[in-house]
Amino acid sequence: MYKLFFQLVFKRMDPEQAHHLAFRWIRLAARIPVLRTFAAAALAPRYEELRTEAFGLRMHGPFGLAAGFDKNAVAIDGMSMLGFDHVEIGTVTGEPQPGNPKKRLFRLVADRALINRMGFNNEGSAAVAERLAARRPVFRTTVGVNIGKTKTVPEAEAAADYVKSTERLAAHADYLVVNVSSPNTPGLRDLQATEALRPLLTAVREAADRTVTGRRVPLLVKIAPDLADDDIDAVADLAVELGLDGIIATNTTIARDGLGLKSSPALVGETGGLSGAPLKERSLTVLSRLYARVGTRITLVGVGGVENAEDAWQRILAGATLVQGYSAFIYEGPFYARAIHKGLAARLAASPYATLAEAVGAETRKAVQ
């Protein structure tokens, strides 16, 4: 039914307008007690065998919502109602910003993909921190907070901008993500170079520890799929050295060639980050390489082209403890997370692994032996 609705309604709308409309419906449903109870029962059934622990946090399962959908932390309960085991909000910047000029979001329907050049449009870390502080959760879920650089802040002052957001948001985050991999903020990806990344991550870690004294806020970094293999290894080694809790692989890609894209050249040629099905192979490759490098020393999160349960299962076998989706949610609709959970439970039952944790990295370990 959703696919028919998508073809008749959403496909005919501007992608950003459709996003805001769907977002309003989700938020409205989560505010109505009877409706949200029935919705959660239908869309978020729990599978005991999928319970997951990552960086000291216990979750209903391994599948969560990637950053970018809920930039301002306004629909956490709504997304939990739809079955996501964790919700990563943001990207949030030190200062509020409108993002890039519209039109800035494009659907590549033939490729089940999106191109976005949103540019971190968000209300800023002060407003988001205030909203999180006032939040009274309806559903128990893990909330990640993804932070990025304000566009007008020079690269030399990036660390201070990230620290500002950390000081405001760390107390409200179950885990914190440093985003240095969006292609839509000039100079941001340059921060992935280890000589720039080391002082940045060190400053954020110190700020989180200084701000939150009652617990250790897990810290992750999100990387691009476009990094060369040597750079992936360098980031992995740095993460181990600094004692990071996790790496998220991967963000959107600026690549277009070699992806077998079927959409029109004009659409494919739009600038911005490409996400969705075409990113599947590269994201899986990066994830597997990271796991081969870090093993169980760091928790890995697999994202990029996760359309169904088989994609999520392959991420787990490659080394991901957690898996995230976003673009496929646009195409699959409200039963997206439910289908992935059901399929993961079936695959685990049919596998030689007694637990989901036992399956993490199994295929990568075989390949490197």
Side-chain angles (χ1 to χ4, degrees):
M1 179 179 287
Y2 174 79
K3 291 183 179 180
L4 178 62
F5 184 82
F6 177 84
Q7 291 292 330
L8 295 177
V9 180
F10 282 156
K11 188 178 176 181
R12 301 170 186 267
M13 295 178 65
D14 172 80
E16 193 167 348
Q17 290 180 339
H19 171 86
H20 290 309
L21 177 62
F23 208 48
R24 283 196 294 271
W25 287 346
I26 293 168
R27 293 171 62 190
L28 177 62
R31 291 194 189 107
I32 303 173
V34 174
L35 182 56
R36 72 187 178 217
T37 299
F38 278 104
L43 303 175
R46 303 303 184 189
Y47 293 84
E48 186 174 347
E49 63 269 35
L50 297 183
R51 289 180 181 173
T52 300
E53 184 169 330
F55 26 81
L57 302 171
R58 294 180 179 179
M59 307 181 199
H60 292 298
F63 188 62
L65 181 71
F69 194 87
D70 186 1
K71 297 177 183 296
N72 294 305
V74 296
I76 295 170
D77 282 320
M79 304 318 295
S80 180
M81 177 188 71
L82 294 181
F84 291 99
D85 300 312
H86 66 274
V87 177
E88 190 172 308
I89 64 138
T91 297
V92 184
T93 54
E95 300 299 329
Q97 56 185 30
N100 291 323
K102 299 177 181 179
K103 188 175 181 182
R104 54 194 182 181
L105 180 63
F106 307 87
R107 293 192 208 94
L108 282 66
V109 178
D111 299 296
R112 294 179 61 80
L114 300 172
I115 291 176
N116 93 82
R117 51 173 180 264
M118 303 299 290
F120 290 167
N121 54 309
N122 75 105
E123 296 174 8
S125 57
V128 173
E130 184 177 348
R131 182 170 294 119
L132 287 171
R135 178 174 174 258
R136 298 295 178 264
V138 174
F139 300 105
R140 185 181 72 81
T141 192
T142 297
V143 178
V145 178
N146 184 302
I147 58 174
K149 184 180 80 69
T150 305
K151 184 177 182 178
T152 56
V153 170
E155 186 178 330
E157 300 172 20
D161 192 53
Y162 279 91
V163 164
K164 179 194 298 182
S165 293
T166 301
E167 290 174 342
R168 291 170 173 170
L169 292 164
H172 312 296
D174 290 316
Y175 69 87
L176 196 65
V177 182
V178 171
N179 185 352
V180 288
S181 50
S182 170
N184 301 316
T185 296
L188 185 72
R189 286 192 167 192
D190 294 341
L191 298 175
Q192 291 178 112
T194 54
E195 60 270 19
L197 192 56
R198 183 190 306 276
L200 171 59
L201 293 175
T202 300
V204 170
R205 177 73 271 166
E206 291 174 351
D209 292 341
R210 183 173 63 249
T211 305
V212 184
T213 57
R215 63 183 174 96
R216 186 180 189 277
V217 180
L219 180 62
L220 294 77
V221 64
K222 187 169 187 176
I223 66 172
D226 307 311
L227 288 176
D229 287 349
D230 288 346
D231 293 327
I232 294 170
D233 294 344
V235 171
D237 293 344
L238 178 63
V240 172
E241 176 192 334
L242 296 180
L244 291 194
D245 299 274
I247 301 174
I248 301 180
T250 62
N251 211 319
T252 59
T253 181
I254 57 173
R256 301 292 187 269
D257 295 337
L259 298 179
L261 299 175
K262 303 172 186 176
S263 298
S264 70
L267 197 54
V268 170
E270 292 287 352
T271 58
L274 174 74
S275 62
L279 191 55
K280 188 176 305 188
E281 184 177 343
R282 178 57 184 168
S283 290
L284 186 60
T285 298
V286 173
L287 176 66
S288 183
R289 187 176 188 92
L290 284 169
Y291 187 81
R293 194 80 175 184
V294 304
T296 59
R297 292 176 292 176
I298 287 179
T299 298
L300 300 180
V301 183
V303 58
V306 179
E307 296 190 278
N308 50 46
E310 180 61 23
D311 293 334
W313 182 240
Q314 291 303 318
R315 295 305 190 282
I316 290 167
L317 294 176
T321 298
L322 300 179
V323 181
Q324 294 179 339
Y326 176 0
S327 298
F329 177 49
I330 307 302
Y331 293 105
E332 293 297 318
F335 286 89
Y336 174 49
R338 175 192 168 102
I340 286 183
H341 285 113
K342 182 178 180 180
L344 278 178
R347 282 161 176 77
L348 178 61
S351 78
Y353 312 112
T355 65
L356 205 59
E358 189 178 318
V360 172
E363 289 299 316
T364 299
R365 289 194 298 271
K366 288 179 186 177
V368 300
Q369 284 176 353

